[in-house]
Amino acid sequence: MSMSLDGFVSGPNDDDPDNPGGDGFTLHDWAFTPEGAIRESGPAGELMGQIFAAGAVVSGRRTAEHADHWGGVHHGDDVRAFVLSHRPAPPSVADYPLITYVSDGIESAMAQAKAAAGDRNVHVIGAYTAQRALEAGLLDEIQLHIVPVLFGGGRRLIDVLPSRVQLEVIRVIDTPEATHVRYRVRR
């Protein structure tokens, strides 16, 4: 997850799919060139390679819909995306065979994603979804890309958890665009 230094994963006014990420959204600039291409070299290339090596994705509905369901392919022709939602999928999702809406909870979404991923990782995206996965004890690691900006408002990555979650730093990569920190969730 890319995050501002003050803990936001999106800026103010992010409720509109025509304004993805909110006003002044810059949190993914570390990963993309100014032309919008994925950076393939250096630390950003290494980190994006790890993200794209995932075998499945679990996302919240808001994230999926703001991204127009990634055009049906999140990051590979064989990568399934499981969208956590309390409501049925919109009719347009029928055109995207790799996108599956899951309405019976985070445990089910993660189980389906793990089965689809095989021996590869499951990539969890979206603040709400990450919080639910943490609460349920279903995340092994958290990768944060902390961008040197203060949004002062927007959607926080972690708003409220029912109990403390202890983390262990396992890797830090510092670049001018972001500090990339990988944590292991301690149990």
Side-chain angles (χ1 to χ4, degrees):
M1 297 284 295
S2 294
M3 178 178 81
S4 67
L5 184 60
D6 52 350
F8 295 98
V9 294
S10 68
N13 300 314
D14 72 335
D15 288 330
D16 184 354
D18 292 329
N19 190 27
D23 297 346
F25 186 75
T26 56
L27 294 182
H28 294 151
D29 289 359
W30 67 268
F32 296 93
T33 67
E35 298 77 31
I38 296 169
R39 295 186 190 276
E40 296 181 5
S41 62
E46 175 189 339
L47 292 162
M48 290 303 290
Q50 292 169 4
I51 290 169
F52 288 126
V57 174
V58 175
S59 169
R61 183 182 187 121
R62 171 191 187 80
T63 300
E65 289 184 353
H66 277 213
D68 191 24
H69 297 91
W70 312 281
V73 179
H74 188 274
H75 61 259
D77 291 339
D78 65 336
V79 177
R80 304 236 352 249
F82 297 88
V83 179
L84 188 62
S85 179
H86 299 293
R87 300 181 320 253
S92 62
V93 174
D95 296 333
Y96 303 140
L98 295 176
I99 309 293
T100 302
Y101 270 60
V102 179
S103 61
D104 55 345
I106 189 68
E107 291 86 356
S108 176
M110 291 295 286
Q112 291 179 59
K114 286 180 180 183
D119 61 352
R120 297 187 290 172
N121 290 332
V122 172
H123 182 68
V124 176
I125 55 176
Y128 176 83
T129 305
Q131 287 182 57
R132 300 299 76 77
L134 269 173
E135 286 173 351
L138 299 172
L139 288 184
D140 296 322
E141 294 182 356
I142 299 171
Q143 173 76 47
L144 293 180
H145 312 285
I146 305 164
V147 178
V149 63
L150 299 169
F151 278 178
R155 185 168 303 276
R156 288 195 179 278
L157 172 58
I158 303 296
D159 212 10
V160 177
L161 291 173
S163 62
R164 178 184 298 224
V165 176
Q166 291 292 125
L167 306 172
E168 173 188 349
V169 175
I170 56 176
R171 184 180 72 184
V172 177
I173 299 173
D174 192 24
T175 70
E177 298 79 23
T179 300
H180 310 277
V181 185
R182 178 172 280 175
Y183 300 92
R184 179 175 294 119
V185 177
R186 294 171 64 187
R187 298 197 182 0

